[in-house]
Amino acid sequence: MITIFENASVLDVEAGTLLPDRHVVVEDGRIREITEAPVAAGDARRIDVAGRTLMPGLVDSHVHVTAYSANFTELQRTPPSYVSAAAGAIMGGMLDRGFTTVRDVGGADFGLARAVREGLIRGPRLIYGGKALSPTGGHGDVRPAGIDAHDDAYNQPGLGRIVDGVPAVRRAAREEIRRGAHHLKIMGNGGISSPTDRISSDQFSEEEIAAVVEEAEMANLYVVVHAYTARAIKRSLKLGVRSIEHGNLADEDAIAMIKERDAFLVPTLATYRALKDEGVEAGLPAELAAKIDDVLDAGINAVEMAHRAGVTMAYGTDLLGAMHRRQLSEFSLRSGVVPAADLVRAATINGAKLMRMEDEFGQVKPGLSADLIVVEGNPLEDISVLTTPDTHLKLVMARGTVTRSAL
C-alpha cells in the first residue's frame, strides 16, 4: 500500500525550517521519498495536506505506561491483567495526542511492547527498560515504614525491583537485558512517590552503579538515572550514566558536566505541575505531596541553565494515573525559556538520538519509519499548536498506518 501526502509543508527538525509544497511518499511502513513535484502512482492513497505542517510523530522519553494510579503501593497490589488493560488505554491516549514513540523508564515489559507491535494494543512504539533498580528504602521501594514483606515476583506490576549489593545488582541488570530491555534504569536519588526516602538522599553505592553501567555497556545499552540533586547527577555521570531524568536541583557545575560527558537531560516539568494541582485526587498519598514543593519551582531553572549551556534535552513527562491527559503540557511549561525549534527537536530527533534510534524515527526523511503527524499551524512560530490536539492535530500515522485523521 502506497500513501502520498500531497501539498505538505514538511518540518525539517534539524534545520528548524518548513519546506513548503512537498509530496511525501510512504510505502510498506517507511518514508520512500520526498519530492517537490507531484508523484505518479495510480493505486496510491492520496492525502491532501493543503499546506498544513507535516512533521515527525512526537517522542516522549519518560513515561510509565503501567502507572494507572499515582499510588504505587496500590499499583503493586493490582492484578497484572487489570494493569495491562489500563496500560492499553493509556497508550491509546498517547497515540491520539500525536506520540508515536514513548520510552518507558519503569514498569513496561516485553509483553506490552509485543502487544503494540502485533496490533493487540493500540499505542506508540514502546521502548522499555523493564523494572527500575532500587536499593532497599530507595525510590523503587514502595513499602510503608511499618511493612517488611515484599512481593519480589517479577510479574507483579510495580515500577521497580529492590536489589542490594553488587552481585544482586548485576544479576538484576542481566535479567532485564535477558528480557529485551533497551536501557537500564537505576534510582540514584530519593523521590516524591516513595514513602521512606528523602529527595536529597543518594541511592546505591558507587560500586553498585558502576556494576550496572558495566553490564549495560557490555550489552551495548545505556543507563538511565532518576536524579534530582547536583550531587546525585555528578556522581552518576562520573560512573558512566548516560541519561539524567528530572534534574530539577541541578547547579551550573552539574549542567556543565552533562554537557561535557555528552549525556542527555530529560526534564519532566509536567508531572510536578500535575501532582501539585491534582496529585492527591489522582491517588498520591497526602503525606507524600509535601515533597512536591522541593522540586517544583527549581525545575524550570534547571531547564533554562541546560538550554544556555547547550545540553541536549529530550521531552519527558513522567505522568501518572488520570494525569496522563496532560502529556502535551511540557511544551507550554518549557516554552518560556526554550525556543520553539528546540522544543520540537526535544520531542523528535533528540528523543530518537537518546534511544540510539535516529536511523529509525525522529525526522521526515527517506528510509525512516513513517511516524508522522499533520498539524494546523506552524509549531516553529507557535508551539501551542502542539498542545491542543482536539483543534490542531489533523492526522496521526504510526509505522505507516493512519490511526487518527480529520483530513
Side-chain angles (χ1 to χ4, degrees), residues 148-404:
D148 291 331
H150 172 68
D151 182 358
D152 60 0
Y154 194 82
N155 63 357
Q156 62 83 14
L159 305 188
R161 59 192 299 178
I162 301 171
V163 286
D164 295 298
V166 170
V169 162
R170 282 194 185 277
R171 178 165 186 157
R174 290 171 182 175
E175 287 178 348
E176 296 300 347
I177 293 167
R178 179 178 70 85
R179 292 183 171 98
H182 297 87
H183 57 265
L184 299 177
K185 165 84 173 284
I186 61 171
M187 302 304 192
N189 239 171
I192 292 170
S193 57
S194 36
T196 61
D197 62 5
R198 298 170 302 284
I199 294 290
S200 61
S201 66
D202 288 340
Q203 297 180 3
F204 281 128
S205 68
E206 293 196 358
E207 292 78 10
E208 289 169 316
I209 296 173
V212 179
V213 170
E214 183 180 29
E215 294 296 333
E217 290 180 347
M218 287 192 295
N220 297 314
L221 304 178
Y222 63 95
V223 176
V224 176
V225 65
H226 163 97
Y228 288 121
T229 66
R231 185 175 70 181
I233 292 168
K234 289 185 281 189
R235 185 168 176 260
S236 299
L237 290 168
K238 181 183 72 172
L239 296 166
V241 169
R242 181 169 177 266
S243 179
I244 305 296
E245 311 299 303
H246 314 304
N248 297 49
L249 303 178
D251 60 16
E252 296 280 4
D253 288 343
I255 293 296
M257 192 172 180
I258 297 173
K259 175 66 175 177
E260 175 192 334
R261 299 293 175 108
D262 201 24
F264 289 76
L265 176 64
V266 188
T268 58
L269 305 183
T271 196
Y272 308 110
R273 184 72 267 164
L275 287 169
K276 182 68 173 178
D277 292 346
E278 56 181 296
V280 174
E281 180 185 343
L284 183 72
E287 63 271 19
L288 303 183
K291 294 184 179 182
I292 299 168
D293 290 332
D294 293 340
V295 296
L296 179 61
D297 293 333
I300 191 64
N301 296 327
V303 170
E304 185 174 18
M305 284 191 294
H307 175 68
R308 286 201 314 263
V311 167
T312 303
M313 287 186 281
Y315 187 100
T317 55
D318 194 27
L319 292 162
L320 312 170
M323 294 174 282
H324 278 107
R325 73 185 190 284
R326 303 172 69 143
Q327 191 176 17
L328 293 162
S329 67
E330 188 78 13
F331 285 116
S332 302
L333 292 168
R334 296 192 200 183
S335 64
V337 296
V338 179
D342 288 316
L343 288 174
V344 170
R345 291 186 191 101
T348 55
I349 185 62
N350 288 3
K353 289 178 178 177
L354 168 58
M355 299 176 211
R356 295 173 172 165
M357 299 183 74
E358 63 267 35
D359 292 333
E360 181 64 19
F361 58 83
Q363 300 182 74
V364 184
K365 182 178 177 182
L368 269 59
S369 177
D371 298 327
L372 305 167
I373 61 175
V374 175
V375 295
E376 193 82 58
N378 181 357
L380 299 175
E381 295 178 351
D382 180 9
I383 199 66
S384 71
V385 304
L386 296 179
T387 69
T388 51
D390 289 345
T391 55
H392 288 88
L393 182 60
K394 299 303 179 183
L395 180 141
V396 178
M397 173 178 274
R399 302 173 295 283
T401 298
V402 174
T403 64
R404 167 181 171 164

Side-chain angles (χ1 to χ4, degrees), residues 50-199:
R52 298 179 180 90
T53 299
L54 177 70
M55 62 181 287
L58 302 177
V59 179
D60 191 333
S61 295
H62 190 121
V63 303
H64 298 286
V65 300
T66 61
Y68 77 91
S69 169
N71 186 329
F72 288 171
T73 302
E74 174 190 332
L75 171 65
Q76 203 159 22
R77 294 193 299 257
T78 306
S81 53
Y82 180 89
V83 175
S84 294
I90 289 168
M91 285 191 281
M94 292 175 171
L95 190 61
D96 287 340
R97 295 181 202 105
F99 290 91
T100 54
T101 299
V102 297
R103 185 184 69 156
D104 188 287
V105 286
D109 64 5
F110 57 93
L112 284 175
R114 177 181 172 183
V116 172
R117 285 197 308 271
E118 295 180 1
L120 300 176
I121 289 178
R122 182 175 174 274
R125 175 188 291 103
L126 181 59
I127 306 302
Y128 64 93
K131 294 186 186 298
L133 309 187
S134 168
T136 295
H139 184 47
D141 187 343
V142 299
R143 294 173 297 172
I147 300 296
D148 291 331
H150 172 68
D151 182 358
D152 60 0
Y154 194 82
N155 63 357
Q156 62 83 14
L159 305 188
R161 59 192 299 178
I162 301 171
V163 286
D164 295 298
V166 170
V169 162
R170 282 194 185 277
R171 178 165 186 157
R174 290 171 182 175
E175 287 178 348
E176 296 300 347
I177 293 167
R178 179 178 70 85
R179 292 183 171 98
H182 297 87
H183 57 265
L184 299 177
K185 165 84 173 284
I186 61 171
M187 302 304 192
N189 239 171
I192 292 170
S193 57
S194 36
T196 61
D197 62 5
R198 298 170 302 284
I199 294 290

